[in-house]
Amino acid sequence: MRDPFPIPPIPALSKAVQPWADHFGLPTLPLHIHEVVLMAVFYHFIGSVVSPILSSRLFPTQYSALSRSRKLNWDVHVVSLVQSTTINALALWVMFVDDERRNMDWQERIWGYTGGAAMIQALAAGYFLWDLIMTASHINIFGLGMLAHAISALLVYSFGFRPFVNYYSCNFILWELSSPFLNIHWFFDKLGMTGSRAQLYNGLMLIFTFFSCRLVWGTYQSFLVARDLWTGLHSVPTVLATLPPEETATFPSQYANTMKYVSGSTSIPVWLAGIYIGANLTLNSLNFYWFFKMIDAVRKRFDPKEKEVRVKEKAVQDQAITTGIQLDGTELKTRLRRGTLLDGEEEDEPPPI
């Protein structure tokens, strides 16, 4: 399948990145670098321009009351919602229409290439590049967990430009199927709909998709890629160009397209397999950690006892506001201000992924 991205490669950008691609052994990067850069710029535009404008008009009271750091967090959730929705739809479409990808054997799953799967990989890399920049620039807001997630995800998807496990780009991006529900759940809290029936239904979908897509599907796909990598570490790929004509007939005809970047020196370095598996284990560990935190966060919103505890804690911690000034110079009178959902982030919430 050819790359279905509507904008063709930008010659100047491809030429600029070619030395880096040659140095790091990423032959398909010049074909897709424009997709990486354009998507990173697109997500920056969504977060810095579109989200503030639309949020101020659609939710003027809630958005304007947020501090600068919480507005940034709001905008990041908007970007995550846009990205997860679009990338999931595109990945499912590629998996459905890309016949070359569907028919790949173990060699092609490791060293093969199709334009459709590479596009998904590039779009994901563009998002995680933006995510890494945002997380590293605001580490005090997003934390080390999100920084580790951004680094690991960007590494995993960048390796695909070798090409390397290009086949699995669509499989692993389906982890994002839970992200739209996660972001909607977060927005329900900020819009004063905590504990509502709508949030309950969304929360059930969030738990279901997170468990099924990230824990079940994600763990299964991690097992499959580890199995293929183990096979590849003890094998070498078939290089059609080096085979006599009578032997090439024994291999699938699509090898001419999917294995065109394979050469006599192609292999799986131990360091590459180690980094890939390590990053994969990091992402899986974060998924399990966030799942239990998410369960606890959802439970607190619908447990009457938890609600009562939170209300009492809020009354104790609420700030005082001035109600008047005594003319004789005595202390200012104060009264407790009722807390709102805009006062702070809920503890232990999983971040937008």
Side-chain angles (χ1 to χ4, degrees):
M1 180 180 183
R2 293 185 177 181
D3 185 354
F5 196 72
I7 302 175
I10 301 173
L13 189 57
S14 298
K15 184 178 180 180
V17 81
Q18 188 67 57
W20 294 93
D22 294 337
H23 179 75
F24 290 105
L26 305 173
T28 66
L29 179 60
L31 299 176
H32 300 280
I33 185 61
H34 67 295
E35 297 167 357
V36 177
V37 173
L38 288 176
M39 294 314 296
V41 172
F42 171 73
Y43 291 128
H44 177 71
F45 178 74
I46 292 293
S48 61
V49 178
V50 176
S51 176
I53 293 176
L54 287 182
S55 300
S56 297
R57 293 183 179 181
L58 296 176
F59 312 106
T61 303
Q62 294 89 340
Y63 188 77
S64 61
L66 295 173
S67 65
R68 183 177 180 181
S69 63
R70 289 172 185 162
K71 283 182 178 178
L72 176 64
N73 201 8
W74 177 294
D75 296 333
V76 166
H77 278 81
V78 172
V79 174
S80 176
L81 180 60
V82 172
Q83 185 267 347
S84 58
T85 303
T86 54
I87 198 73
N88 284 322
L90 289 172
L92 290 170
W93 175 75
V94 169
M95 294 173 73
F96 180 75
V97 303
D98 191 347
D99 293 332
E100 288 181 338
R101 180 192 173 280
R102 187 184 307 110
N103 296 322
M104 281 183 168
D105 60 18
W106 73 267
Q107 291 196 63
E108 293 170 293
R109 290 197 297 269
I110 297 177
W111 295 293
Y113 168 89
T114 74
M119 180 194 71
I120 297 299
Q121 157 204 314
L123 300 185
Y127 171 75
F128 290 120
L129 174 61
W130 170 85
D131 187 36
L132 175 60
I133 294 172
M134 289 295 297
T135 305
S137 302
H138 304 90
I139 189 67
N140 59 316
I141 297 176
F142 300 110
L144 293 176
M146 279 300 295
L147 181 62
H149 178 275
I151 294 174
S152 298
L154 184 58
L155 273 177
V156 166
Y157 280 96
S158 296
F159 286 147
F161 296 117
R162 292 180 68 90
F164 176 69
V165 293
N166 181 256
Y167 166 88
Y168 285 98
S169 61
C170 294
N171 295 20
F172 282 118
I173 206 64
L174 292 185
W175 285 9
E176 299 287 336
L177 282 170
S178 64
S179 295
F181 301 103
L182 177 61
N183 286 290
I184 292 172
H185 180 84
W186 187 90
F187 282 116
F188 276 146
D189 276 348
K190 304 313 165 194
L191 295 176
M193 298 178 66
T194 301
S196 64
R197 189 179 297 272
Q199 190 182 50
L200 172 62
Y201 294 151
N202 181 79
L204 294 176
M205 287 300 299
L206 169 59
I207 293 173
F208 172 75
T209 53
F210 199 102
F211 177 80
S212 59
C213 298
R214 290 180 179 264
L215 304 191
V216 178
W217 171 262
T219 303
Y220 176 62
Q221 292 301 315
S222 297
F223 166 77
L224 293 181
V225 74
R227 183 189 63 181
D228 284 343
L229 289 177
W230 180 259
T231 304
L233 283 170
H234 299 83
S235 308
V236 292
T238 299
V239 184
L240 293 182
T242 64
L243 297 178
E246 61 272 14
E247 290 189 29
T248 59
T250 62
F251 294 95
S253 59
Q254 69 177 33
Y255 264 39
N257 295 321
T258 60
M259 299 289 280
K260 59 185 176 183
Y261 292 103
V262 174
S263 65
S265 61
T266 300
S267 64
I268 301 179
V270 175
W271 66 264
L272 176 59
I275 291 177
Y276 189 89
I277 294 298
N280 203 279
L281 289 174
T282 299
L283 295 174
N284 276 287
S285 299
L286 287 171
N287 284 335
F288 278 91
Y289 171 77
W290 283 330
F291 178 73
F292 291 110
K293 290 295 185 182
M294 179 180 62
I295 290 290
D296 187 55
V298 172
R299 179 183 59 82
K300 288 179 179 179
R301 284 158 177 74
F302 298 97
D303 187 336
K305 294 182 179 180
E306 291 287 349
K307 286 184 179 181
E308 183 178 350
V309 170
R310 290 171 64 195
V311 170
K312 290 181 179 179
E313 290 178 348
K314 203 69 171 180
V316 173
Q317 297 173 358
D318 277 339
Q319 304 174 26
I321 63 173
T322 302
T323 58
I325 301 178
Q326 295 290 349
L327 296 178
D328 59 1
T330 57
E331 292 186 14
L332 300 179
K333 292 182 179 180
T334 61
R335 64 175 173 85
L336 291 177
R337 179 178 64 82
R338 192 181 72 169
T340 71
L341 289 169
L342 300 176
D343 289 332
E345 304 299 324
E346 296 295 334
E347 295 182 357
D348 296 332
E349 278 195 21
I353 304 167

